[in-house]
Amino acid sequence: MTDCLDSDAPPSAKLVVKVLEYSDEPLTQGEIADRTRLSPRTVRSSVKRLKEDGVVEEQVYIPDARKQIYVLDDSVEECLQACEGTADEVEAV
């Protein structure tokens, strides 16, 4: 995972990435806060940093246009999957 993110990323941002990675659908900031048990302010800060780094994409939440939903950028998701595949190969050896 560290190859896919900025090495200076705080643990809260890494947790947000993991939650988005394992989610089957895009999540709102509130849903991320619920799943991570981080404060809304921490989630907001982490999401902002991840957006600036190009790790997370923001989309409009159709049921309520005042909210946004977040997903991992395709390149980051591919990187995370590649890292996971490498870890599986190492365990098999």
Side-chain angles (χ1 to χ4, degrees):
M1 178 165 144
T2 56
D3 296 340
C4 306
L5 296 176
D6 180 12
S7 60
D8 294 335
S12 58
K14 292 176 183 177
L15 180 57
V16 169
V17 168
K18 275 299 181 189
V19 166
L20 289 172
E21 179 184 5
Y22 290 116
S23 176
D24 293 334
E25 58 191 12
L27 300 173
T28 64
Q29 283 187 15
E31 291 168 333
I32 294 169
D34 288 344
R35 293 183 186 195
T36 60
R37 298 193 181 258
L38 295 171
S39 72
R41 182 178 182 173
T42 301
V43 170
R44 189 170 44 252
S45 172
S46 295
V47 166
K48 180 181 177 192
R49 179 184 180 131
L50 292 168
K51 281 185 350 187
E52 290 170 354
D53 291 347
V55 175
V56 170
E57 294 178 3
E58 182 179 86
Q59 301 170 351
V60 176
Y61 181 58
I62 300 299
D64 184 352
R66 296 171 295 174
K67 295 181 181 180
Q68 287 77 36
I69 52 176
Y70 301 93
V71 294
L72 291 177
D73 183 74
D74 291 337
S75 62
V76 173
E77 195 161 348
E78 289 172 9
C79 178
L80 291 170
Q81 289 174 355
C83 290
E84 186 176 297
T86 304
D88 290 342
E89 290 172 11
V90 170
E91 288 178 12
V93 172

